[in-house]
């Protein structure tokens, strides 16, 4: 099972990811292995890159067996495009060799920032403490189709301690950046992996043939040494009376493979054919799963026999429990299934989804439900697990699920539309949040929602009230209705009454605001700690306004304590708690603490961003401008006041925010001082996002890939960051950013070196 800190739901397939078995009958790639052994010891990365069927996994297996180091093996899956899932599986593989430090595993479970980013420096530090280096094998890396996942690989390679090596197998050429230019990688391609005549002869001999020179040359010529084609050719030749003729008729991969597999099926019993055809949609197979798909028992013996007879059924573990079909064979069988029984594929996927759900493997259950076009089951499963996966940093996976269901699917199951709306809002995606909320309002749902909302009308009303994008007046109306729909004792009551308290704050009714916010803080401490911490922060800001600084400090401290206890450090609403704490620190004369609290708030203002909650953006920037004026930072105060104006005017009705903005403008007009023209506290949201990546191993181009922008734009933003932080190097900028709280410090990381260990 996964060690403590890496939850089973986040890494459900960890136990099946074992090093491939050394199977008899495979050609020993002695010449290629000899070349691999010549790679210098100080080269941390070796790539084996070639199209499908070139025997990359075999080469990796033989090379790792010949290596003197301990070996950790990870076969990449499509779902590993999610960088958190992938990084967690890499950590698990290494953990099996030698236990990693506890804080590495904890970093994946805290939810404090992207777990893969937080864990990387801790993982590298832990590896530096190992007594002997290891070899990490990453197979099928072409399945890593996301920039963050590939960035994790590059950063891991770049920071490996001496003696460690990563051996990668991939169908696609990989972007290596400076690793290639610095001579820190070695690459072996299709030409290196192609079979020689001697190896082709060995394959044919292994199949019981006595090949002539003509036969060997024909196979080499027709397959160009493609190992999969050679093995298939050997099987075809063995079934033929005329070996040279059979070798000469190998005319291409897809047509030849299809013809051969068709001939293979003709010799099998109807029961075996039915078993294989219905197994084709499954990525992996076990007896119980196949029994469910086939609607009968007896799959265990069929799997064992198929593997024994080399019917392209590949064992995945030493216990003989899990198998998969050879990819080419699976493609052929799936095509046959669609031709023979067009409706059967969906039924297989639906049965598999049900099986995986029962066995608490949600990712696979959802994947099969979607593939089987069972929108109702898929939506229900996604809704059940989306919040857990999102809390674990698996946002990419959740987004992929939701996108696969589209708006019609969400409308057909409104609880998921509500969940998708909240996740999008908390991630700063205002447009998606509103789109999903609209989808929920178009749907219908009888009774309470799975998240505890009293009704669909209640869920949509609470969300409209909390977002407040339709202005202060509408926010107040929605909040009143939300409290009526979610009475005391209801799960969403603290959120509803908290929204009502905020609406009263923005409407200028401070007396009613205090009453409702105190109730939200009291009733939300256990059930809705986000609402409780936000209510405490708002109460602290109100206490500061009336000059009750002792009360303001107690409330701000209470809000931050609740944030830490609930693990809400990366939640967008925590901006309010940092704002309240900064105001208190300014009053105490603690400038260092005030700036650190402002820095922490600015991190959240940049990402995930309160864009879906414009009242937070407006309230925060107005308060921030006043705090910066109190700190004598006139340049930053003016910058934030400009942002506040933009936020306020976007609200259809502004309540007291317009008056607060006017008061701020008056104060700015009268401000005097020798403040510099630029300031660290005037970093834009884009510059803040770049600053967060400067402590990493990423180049400017790689940072651009991560942020979906050009290298030129990143270079310009980095120059602006340097100027505002009064720094001339990357290291200085990171140190200055950490001192001001603008860059989060990961416990145990190389805090003073943005490039980390080399």
């Amino acid at each position: 099972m996964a060690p403590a800190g890496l939850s089973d739901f986040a890494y459900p397939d960890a136990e099946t990811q074992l090093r491939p078995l050394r199977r008899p009958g495979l050609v020993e790639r002695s010449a290629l292995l000899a070349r691999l052994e010549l790679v210098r010891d100080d080269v941390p990365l070796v790539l084996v890159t070639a199209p499908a069927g070139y025997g990359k996994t075999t080469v990796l297996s033989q090379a790792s067996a010949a290596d003197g180091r301990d070996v950790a093996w990870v076969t990449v899956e499509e779902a590993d495009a999610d960088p958190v899932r992938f990084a967690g599986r890499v950590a698990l593989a290494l953990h099996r060799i030698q236990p990693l430090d506890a804080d590495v595993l904890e970093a994946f479970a805290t939810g404090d920032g992207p777990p893969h980013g937080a864990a990387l420096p801790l993982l590298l530090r832990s590896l530096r403490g190992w007594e002997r280096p290891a070899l990490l094998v990453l197979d099928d890396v072409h399945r890593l189709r996301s920039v963050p996942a590939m960035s994790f690989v590059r950063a891991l390679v770049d920071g490996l301690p001496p003696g460690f090596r990563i051996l990668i197998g991939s169908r696609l050429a990989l972007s290596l950046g400076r690793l290639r230019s610095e001579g820190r990688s070695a690459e072996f391609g299709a030409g290196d992996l192609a079979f020689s005549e001697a190896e082709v002869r060995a394959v044919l001999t292994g199949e019981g043939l006595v090949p002539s020179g003509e036969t060997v040359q024909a196979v080499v010529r027709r397959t160009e040494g493609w190992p999969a084609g050679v093995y298939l050719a050997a099987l075809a030749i063995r079934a033929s009376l005329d070996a040279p003729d059979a070798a000469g008729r190998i005319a291409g991969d897809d047509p030849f493979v299809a013809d051969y597999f068709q001939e293979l099926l003709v010799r099998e019993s109807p029961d075996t054919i039915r078993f294989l055809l219905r197994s084709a949609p499954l990525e992996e197979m076990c007896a119980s799963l196949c029994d469910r798909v086939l609607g009968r028992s007896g799959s265990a013996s069929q799997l064992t026999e198929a593997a024994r007879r080399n019917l392209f059924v590949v064992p995945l573990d030493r216990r003989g429990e899990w198998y998969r079909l050879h990819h080419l064979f699976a493609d052929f069988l799936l095509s046959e299934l669609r031709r023979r029984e067009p409706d059967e594929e969906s039924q297989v996927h639906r049965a598999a989804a049900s099986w995986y759900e029962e066995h608490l493997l949600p990712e696979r259950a959802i994947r099969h439900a979607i593939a089987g076009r069972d929108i109702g089951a898929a939506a229900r499963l996604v809704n059940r697990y989306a919040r857990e996966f999102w809390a674990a940093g698996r946002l990419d996976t959740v987004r992929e699920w939701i996108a696969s269901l589209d708006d019609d699917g969400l409308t057909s199951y409104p609880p998921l539309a509500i969940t998708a709306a909240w996740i999008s809002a908390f991630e700063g995606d205002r447009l998606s949040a509103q789109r999903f909320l609209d989808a929920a309002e178009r749907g219908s749902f009888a009774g309470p929602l799975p998240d505890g909302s009293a009704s669909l009308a209640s869920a949509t009303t609470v969300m409209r009230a909390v977002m407040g994008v339709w202005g202060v007046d509408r926010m107040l109306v929605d909040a009143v209705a939300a409290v009526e729909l979610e009475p005391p004792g209801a799960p969403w009551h603290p959120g509803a009454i908290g929204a009502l308290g905020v609406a009263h704050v923005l409407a200028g009714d401070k007396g009613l605001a205090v009453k409702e916010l105190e109730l939200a803080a009291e009733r939300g401490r256990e059930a809705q700690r986000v609402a409780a911490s936000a209510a405490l922060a708002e109460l602290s800001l109100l206490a500061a306004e009336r000059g009750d600084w002792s009360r303001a400090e107690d409330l701000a401290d209470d809000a931050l304590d609740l944030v830490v206890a609930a693990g809400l450090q990366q939640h967008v609403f925590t901006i309010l708690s940092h704002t309240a704490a900064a105001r208190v620190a300014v009053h105490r004369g603690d400038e260092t603490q005030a700036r650190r609290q402002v820095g922490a708030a600015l991190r959240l203002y940049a990402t995930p961003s309160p864009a879906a909650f414009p009242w937070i953006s407006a309230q925060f920037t107005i308060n921030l401008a006043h705090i910066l004026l109190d700190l004598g930072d006139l340049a930053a105060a003016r910058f934030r006041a400009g942002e506040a104006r933009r936020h306020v005017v976007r609200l259809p009705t502004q309540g007291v925010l317009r008056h607060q903005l006017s008061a701020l403008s008056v104060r700015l007009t009268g401000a005097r001082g020798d403040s510099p023209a630029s300031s660290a506290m005037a970093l834009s949201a884009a510059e803040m996002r770049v600053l967060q990546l400067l402590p990493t191993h990423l180049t400017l181009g790689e940072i651009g890939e991560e942020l979906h922008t050009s290298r030129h734009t990143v270079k310009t933003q980095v120059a602006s960051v340097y100027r505002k932080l009064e720094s001339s190097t990357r290291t200085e900028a990171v140190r200055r950013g950490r001192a001001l709280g603008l860059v989060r410090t990961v416990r145990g990381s190389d805090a003073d070196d943005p490039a980390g260990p080399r």
Side-chain angles (χ1 to χ4, degrees), residues 414-471:
L416 175 57
I418 292 293
T419 298
W422 279 117
I423 290 175
S424 297
F426 289 144
E427 287 295 325
D429 188 347
R430 178 180 60 84
L431 294 178
S432 292
Q434 290 185 232
R435 179 165 62 87
F436 295 142
L437 182 56
D438 291 342
E441 291 177 323
R442 291 195 302 271
S444 61
F445 191 84
L449 272 61
D451 68 357
S453 299
S455 65
L456 178 58
S458 171
T460 57
T461 303
V462 169
M463 184 158 197
R464 280 200 308 268
V466 175
M467 287 178 65
V469 297
W470 296 272

Side-chain angles (χ1 to χ4, degrees), residues 694-716:
L694 290 185
T696 69
H697 302 71
L698 300 179
T699 64
L700 296 187
E702 291 165 350
I703 289 175
E705 291 180 19
E706 187 91 7
L707 298 177
H708 305 289
T709 189
S710 69
R711 184 185 185 280
H712 176 74
T713 298
V714 171
K715 183 177 180 181
T716 300

Side-chain angles (χ1 to χ4, degrees), residues 619-690:
Q619 192 181 54
F620 167 63
T621 48
I622 289 172
N623 273 282
L624 179 56
H626 282 293
I627 291 168
L628 293 169
L629 280 172
D630 292 337
L631 293 172
D633 196 338
L634 183 57
R638 286 174 174 159
F639 179 78
R640 299 303 170 189
E643 289 186 323
R645 292 187 192 95
R646 291 193 293 274
H647 294 314
V648 170
V649 298
R650 288 184 184 132
L651 286 166
T653 56
Q654 298 91 21
V656 299
L657 292 172
R658 179 173 291 278
H659 302 296
Q660 292 174 354
L661 187 60
S662 297
L664 174 61
S665 298
V666 171
R667 190 179 176 199
L668 281 169
T669 301
R672 295 289 186 272
D674 298 325
S675 178
S678 62
S679 164
M681 295 301 167
L683 289 169
S684 68
E687 291 165 351
M688 281 291 297
R689 287 190 285 269
V690 167

Side-chain angles (χ1 to χ4, degrees), residues 278 281 292-294 337 342-354 368 371-373:
R278 280 158 180 76
R292 174 69 62 83
V293 165
L294 290 160
L337 180 64
D343 298 329
E344 190 63 26
E345 182 182 358
S346 293
Q347 297 306 315
V348 170
H349 282 300
R350 294 183 180 203
S354 174
H368 281 289
R373 298 188 294 278

Side-chain angles (χ1 to χ4, degrees), residues 38 73 97 239 314 362 415 516 593 673 734 750:
L38 294 177
W73 186 293
I97 297 177
V314 182
E516 308 295 2
Q593 178 64 8
V734 171
D750 299 88

